[in-house]
Amino acid sequence: MDVSPWVWWVTIGVTTGFLVIDVVIIGRRPHEPSMREVSRDLIGYVAAAIAFGLGVMYFSGVEYGGEFFAGWLTEYSLSIDNLFVFIIILTKFGVPRQLQQSALLIGIVLALVMRGIFIAVGAAAINEFSWVFYLFGLFLVYTAANLAKGGETDDDEYKESRLVRWAQRLPTTDDYVGAKLVVKEDGRRLFTPMFIVIIALGTTDLLFALDSIPAIYGLTSEPYLVLTANLFALMGLRQLYFLIGGLLKQLVYLSYGLAVLLAFIGVKLILHAMHENELPFINGGEHIEWAPDIPTWASLVAIVVILGVTTVASLARSWREEPARSD
């Protein structure tokens, strides 16, 4: 896929523009958004992603368009898991509802920056070393096993990192001061609780980037598609938080679904690595011809089926248990 430098810069520029507009609007008027507001914005982001994918199909071919949609759906599903932890963090630190937009926006910006770094590193590694697909594949299978072992999502999923515990020992104000991270009181500079929240969100973003970037490189080796799939998945995350934050608790099988999804992509990566094998201690450094490369259309179908079954099974269980909870 031949992407001109100006296309890269336009993509980055447009994304930056949207983020700047969000920062200015939310910074001037911190508030809890209405359902109408978040629904409108989320529909707009989803429609933009679909239009972009169709544009990739038109200009670059069905194969690349399919890779974008597979990557976007995968990143979106992993971002929803990320959203669970965001909810826990914001609740744990008692972030006021009117300030949660600001915290989420900063968290999303941090996620975009970290994933951009990982995308660049991943692209460089893949170009230089084909065996890195073995590492990516094994890492995803290992992550899938841990997710499946963890089972259903619960409120104990978030564990404070050492960095967060260190930040909590800093001199801080008792209360939030708007969206400010640092304030001056009686001649002293103090951090606010929002600073600790941002540290918590940032370290969480780092951990999720370690899963998401290898996963999408299992679906496409095109850095531009990796970048845009991540952009479209993250840009609507804030709206998704306010729109279906309560419904997320009903996705009780999400961890299992993501485990199956990551395991599938991990196996796909390992098979691809075998097909392209150059390691001298595996098959004498020769390509393993019998190892199949799973086509993009099969990956896209598998992703849709896995996410669809996970969602339907989760909602069915939640609806069955609802009468028991009400009694």
Side-chain angles (χ1 to χ4, degrees), residues 16-240:
T16 303
F18 273 109
L19 290 173
V20 168
I21 291 172
D22 265 352
V23 169
V24 170
I25 292 176
I26 295 174
R28 287 182 176 177
R29 190 172 65 90
H31 66 288
E32 180 181 351
S34 65
M35 288 297 103
R36 179 180 178 182
E37 180 183 341
V38 295
S39 299
R40 179 198 64 208
D41 291 348
L42 185 60
I43 290 172
Y45 282 126
V46 171
I50 293 173
F52 181 86
L54 294 175
V56 172
M57 284 186 175
Y58 179 79
F59 289 105
S60 300
V62 174
E63 180 74 13
Y64 288 124
E67 289 180 5
F68 169 78
F69 281 117
W72 173 54
L73 287 173
T74 298
E75 292 301 302
Y76 222 149
S77 62
L78 292 172
S79 294
I80 290 175
D81 196 38
N82 200 346
L83 204 57
F84 268 117
V85 185
F86 279 8
I87 291 173
I88 295 169
I89 290 173
L90 296 181
T91 302
K92 179 181 179 65
F93 289 99
V95 181
R97 291 287 291 182
Q98 70 271 17
L99 296 179
Q100 289 183 5
Q101 272 210 100
S102 300
L104 285 170
L105 182 57
I106 295 174
I108 289 169
V109 171
L110 290 173
L112 288 171
V113 171
M114 291 179 185
R115 294 191 189 195
I117 294 171
F118 276 91
I119 289 168
V121 172
I126 288 169
N127 286 334
E128 291 294 325
F129 313 106
S130 62
W131 51 262
V132 77
F133 285 112
Y134 281 117
L135 296 181
F136 282 179
L138 291 172
F139 177 74
L140 289 181
V141 172
Y142 171 77
T143 303
N146 284 338
L147 265 178
K149 194 184 304 180
E152 298 169 15
T153 304
D154 57 41
D155 289 345
D156 296 327
E157 183 177 347
Y158 172 69
K159 304 297 182 184
E160 291 179 356
S161 66
R162 290 183 179 179
L163 186 59
V164 172
R165 292 197 295 271
W166 169 81
Q168 288 175 321
R169 293 197 293 269
L170 295 172
T172 59
T173 59
D174 294 330
D175 300 313
Y176 288 86
V177 186
K180 293 181 179 179
L181 305 182
V182 182
V183 295
K184 195 170 185 179
E185 290 185 359
D186 300 326
R188 297 177 61 207
R189 290 195 178 276
L190 301 175
F191 294 96
T192 70
M194 182 65 80
F195 175 79
I196 301 173
V197 171
I198 298 308
I199 295 292
L201 293 176
T203 52
T204 300
D205 286 331
L206 178 60
L207 294 175
F208 276 96
L210 290 173
D211 295 340
S212 66
I213 299 307
I216 194 170
Y217 269 121
L219 301 168
T220 178
S221 59
E222 295 296 330
Y224 183 73
L225 296 182
V226 174
L227 174 68
T228 50
N230 272 276
L231 289 177
F232 281 112
L234 289 171
M235 292 295 279
L237 195 59
R238 177 167 53 85
Q239 288 76 15
L240 196 64

Side-chain angles (χ1 to χ4, degrees), residues 242-256:
F242 289 101
L243 185 65
I244 62 171
L247 293 177
L248 288 177
K249 290 294 183 183
Q250 297 184 23
L251 298 179
V252 292
Y253 294 130
L254 180 63
S255 291
Y256 293 119

